[in-house]
Amino acid sequence: MTTGTVQFLNHEGELTSHPDYEAEISPDGLRKLYHDMAWSRRMDAEAVTLQRQGELGLWPSLLGQEAAQIGAGHALGAADYVFPSYRDHGIALCRGVDPLDLLRMFRGVTNGGWDPAEKNFHLYTLVIGSQVLHATGYAMGLAKDGTPGAVLTCFGDGATSQGDVSEAFNFAAVYHAPVVFFCQNNQWAISEGNERQTRVPLHQRADGFGFPGVRVDGNDVLACLAVTKWALERARSGEGPTLIEAFTYRMGAHTTSDDPLRYRDGEEVAYWDLRDPLARLRTLLEARGWADGAYFDTVAAQCEERALDLRGRLRATPDPDPGDIFAHVHADGHALVDEERSRFAAYQATFADAAGRGE
């Protein structure tokens, strides 16, 4: 197994090779990767602005992690299934999820908004690390049923401190589950740095459970694509799980309720700003003559237009009926839920009665 960090595109935009993995390099493919990273960044920035303006209750930014997410998203096959964390907006876009559905969740008007079975993309999980167990169980089911495809589950470095993740690793190893554990190590679990979470690189934890672990440059979209594709193919062919540690950096706040200035210094942020995933891919495209200023201007204009459309659609989103909270709790209904719905409707009616009496 590879030691060190897998990298194909360094922070100066220069291509390298790797003895164990093959990067898919073509002008069209690289332009598509850049476009998707640019759109995920612009969509994310729009969501942050909307939260600051009171349109969303909360937003977890992906800023700085675009290469990890778009690389992994492009590695997925049609039959593969994703169990995301709450920050995986880039992978959501790769799976065809309408970004409005992402924003509606954080606006508080829906508990999901898309059909997981249609998109092969599960609903966001806010409980740290629980989706890793869900993914492992789903992958075990795929193997038992002989269903094609593999499972990708995403989580952050902070989630590796949860017992759920260790339990998932053990189940996946013992049952040879077709699952890829994709850890986006952005180095900060809210305000706790890596040094307070682990004494070894996170990918090495796989060794103790008996399956491969690989660290990739999480700001290199080619490395993330190549290694994730390799791991998914390995899972589909019955070779079991893989842990990928995408070593990246969270450039923004943990969420919009967080103030990162309280726990990290500007020098660290400046260091990672020089390793920006979009900048290095743009440098490569320009150096090879595969894209020029007009192309990048067009991409920026398209992203801006889509962001403005997203803003308009969000603001036009109606509030749900308060009684909708009781829907879909049980597939076939439940007497207790019916009773609670009736009580709630009666309580709501008292406000209408008071308004009608001018109180």
Side-chain angles (χ1 to χ4, degrees):
M1 180 49 57
T2 300
T3 58
T5 300
V6 178
Q7 184 185 75
F8 286 98
L9 184 62
N10 65 25
H11 72 273
E12 295 175 340
E14 299 169 338
L15 275 176
T16 59
S17 60
H18 197 280
D20 298 325
Y21 307 97
E22 183 177 350
E24 299 176 4
I25 300 170
S26 71
D28 287 342
L30 292 177
R31 284 192 292 267
K32 175 60 174 170
L33 289 170
Y34 181 87
H35 173 276
D36 289 356
M37 284 199 292
W39 169 228
S40 65
R41 176 171 291 190
R42 182 62 187 88
M43 184 276 291
D44 180 73
E46 188 65 23
V48 171
T49 300
L50 286 165
Q51 193 283 327
R52 298 304 189 203
Q53 295 174 346
E55 300 287 352
L56 304 179
L58 187 75
W59 183 256
S61 174
L62 62 73
L63 183 63
Q65 298 177 222
E66 297 89 353
Q69 295 190 17
I70 299 302
H74 275 247
L76 291 161
D80 297 330
Y81 197 96
V82 182
F83 283 83
S85 72
Y86 49 76
R87 197 187 303 276
D88 293 309
H89 319 312
I91 299 179
L93 296 177
C94 288
R95 295 310 265 179
V97 174
D98 188 337
L100 177 63
D101 288 333
L102 302 177
L103 270 59
R104 289 170 65 227
M105 273 193 305
F106 291 97
R107 189 177 175 88
V109 298
T110 177
N111 291 324
W114 64 88
D115 182 352
E118 176 193 349
K119 304 297 184 184
N120 272 18
F121 186 82
H122 201 265
L123 301 178
Y124 274 9
T125 304
L126 295 181
V127 178
I128 305 299
S130 64
Q131 76 275 13
V132 185
L133 271 175
H134 304 159
T136 299
Y138 191 90
M140 290 165 60
L142 290 181
K144 276 186 172 293
D145 293 343
T147 304
V151 176
L152 178 76
T153 182
C154 306
F155 51 98
D157 48 291
T160 64
S161 297
Q162 295 289 109
D164 295 32
V165 174
S166 291
E167 292 170 14
F169 286 175
N170 196 53
F171 268 102
V174 170
Y175 288 93
H176 222 54
V179 58
V180 175
F181 300 107
F182 191 77
C183 175
Q184 294 171 67
N185 181 359
N186 65 27
Q187 303 179 58
W188 288 97
I190 309 183
S191 58
E192 294 294 333
N194 270 347
E195 71 280 359
R196 300 195 59 154
Q197 299 179 68
T198 182
R199 288 291 177 264
V200 298
L202 294 176
H203 70 281
Q204 291 184 10
R205 291 193 179 185
D207 294 341
F209 293 93
F211 58 87
V214 185
R215 174 181 273 191
V216 302
D217 181 345
N219 286 17
D220 173 2
V221 67
L222 295 178
C224 293
L225 172 57
V227 176
T228 307
K229 185 175 182 180
W230 165 82
L232 287 167
E233 290 175 349
R234 184 176 178 276
R236 295 187 207 106
S237 63
E239 296 182 59
T242 305
L243 170 61
I244 299 173
E245 177 192 359
F247 194 73
T248 181
Y249 193 77
R250 167 168 58 79
M251 291 299 294
H254 173 69
T255 70
T256 46
S257 64
D258 170 47
D259 179 9
L261 296 176
R262 297 180 63 128
Y263 54 81
R264 65 186 190 188
D265 60 54
E267 290 185 4
E268 179 180 286
V269 177
Y271 173 87
W272 282 97
D273 188 50
L274 295 175
R275 286 149 180 78
D276 180 84
L278 271 75
R280 68 172 71 179
L281 182 54
R282 175 169 179 156
T283 298
L284 172 64
L285 288 168
E286 290 178 325
R288 296 295 177 96
W290 293 338
D292 56 16
Y295 166 79
F296 295 110
D297 289 344
T298 298
V299 170
Q302 290 173 344
C303 291
E304 188 66 23
E305 182 179 355
R306 294 171 73 182
L308 292 176
D309 174 71
L310 178 60
R311 169 180 287 264
R313 290 195 294 141
L314 178 71
R315 287 180 165 173
T317 300
D319 291 336
D321 185 285
D324 287 352
I325 194 172
F326 299 97
H328 311 299
V329 177
H330 294 274
D332 299 320
H334 192 281
L336 180 58
V337 175
D338 292 341
E339 179 185 345
E340 291 171 340
R341 182 190 291 109
S342 296
R343 284 183 171 182
F344 183 73
Y347 173 70
Q348 290 289 109
T350 62
F351 293 97
D353 291 343
R357 295 193 302 268
E359 297 178 7

